[in-house]
């Protein structure tokens, strides 16, 4: 039986402090290369990614493409974020990178640099 990660053992929602501690641990692990931790950080940021993508696109295909571009922005933000700043500031820090990738989704790819795609 799997226990959902977003609820406390007694079935209630975890406190904000507990969520920030978990995010801090996930950020540290993702910086060291832990893929599961990176995916948990992406899952934490998913509501923000969805809102930003819906504001920029009209079709579901465009929304999905923008969400994927936003995940690349999160990966870049994880690399540049200083954990000592505090995990509670990560979402605001990552917003710049996410919006940059969503506004320029094709920038930075190997083939787009070669072929100008």
């Amino acid at each position: 039986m799997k226990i959902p990660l977003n609820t406390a053992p007694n079935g209630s929602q975890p406190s904000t402090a507990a969520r920030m501690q978990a995010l801090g641990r996930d950020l540290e692990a993702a910086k060291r290369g832990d893929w599961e931790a990176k995916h948990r950080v992406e899952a934490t940021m998913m509501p923000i990614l969805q809102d930003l993508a819906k504001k920029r696109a009209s079709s579901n295909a465009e929304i999905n493409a923008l969400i994927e571009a936003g995940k690349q922005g999160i990966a870049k933000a994880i690399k540049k974020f200083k954990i000592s700043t505090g995990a509670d500031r990560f979402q605001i820090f990552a917003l710049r990178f996410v919006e940059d990738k969503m506004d320029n989704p094709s920038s930075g790819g190997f083939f787009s640099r070669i072929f100008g795609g």
Side-chain angles (χ1 to χ4, degrees):
M1 180 175 119
K2 290 186 176 182
I3 298 172
L5 297 175
N6 59 351
T7 59
N10 61 3
S12 65
Q13 293 294 323
S15 69
T16 303
R19 285 195 312 262
M20 288 302 118
Q21 286 179 344
L23 180 60
R25 286 191 303 267
D26 288 339
L27 285 169
E28 288 176 5
K31 251 186 176 332
R32 291 190 307 263
D34 184 356
W35 283 89
E36 290 179 10
K38 179 181 167 277
H39 290 296
R40 285 191 299 269
V41 172
E42 289 174 353
T44 301
M45 297 285 292
M46 190 56 71
I48 295 170
L49 291 176
Q50 290 172 340
D51 287 342
L52 291 172
K54 286 177 184 176
K55 288 178 183 178
R56 287 173 166 73
S58 58
S59 71
N60 287 338
E62 290 175 351
I63 290 172
N64 288 338
L66 288 174
I67 288 174
E68 289 304 314
K71 287 180 182 181
Q72 292 174 359
I74 290 173
K76 188 172 183 179
I78 289 171
K79 290 178 187 175
K80 294 189 178 268
F81 186 69
K82 293 183 175 123
I83 303 295
S84 62
T85 307
D88 56 334
R89 300 189 190 277
F90 176 74
Q91 291 179 339
I92 293 172
F93 177 81
L95 193 60
R96 183 183 109 207
F97 296 99
V98 169
E99 287 182 332
D100 184 46
K101 281 292 188 181
M102 283 186 174
D103 291 339
N104 305 311
S106 64
S107 67
F110 177 74
F111 290 111
S112 66
R113 286 187 300 224
I114 293 176
F115 299 111

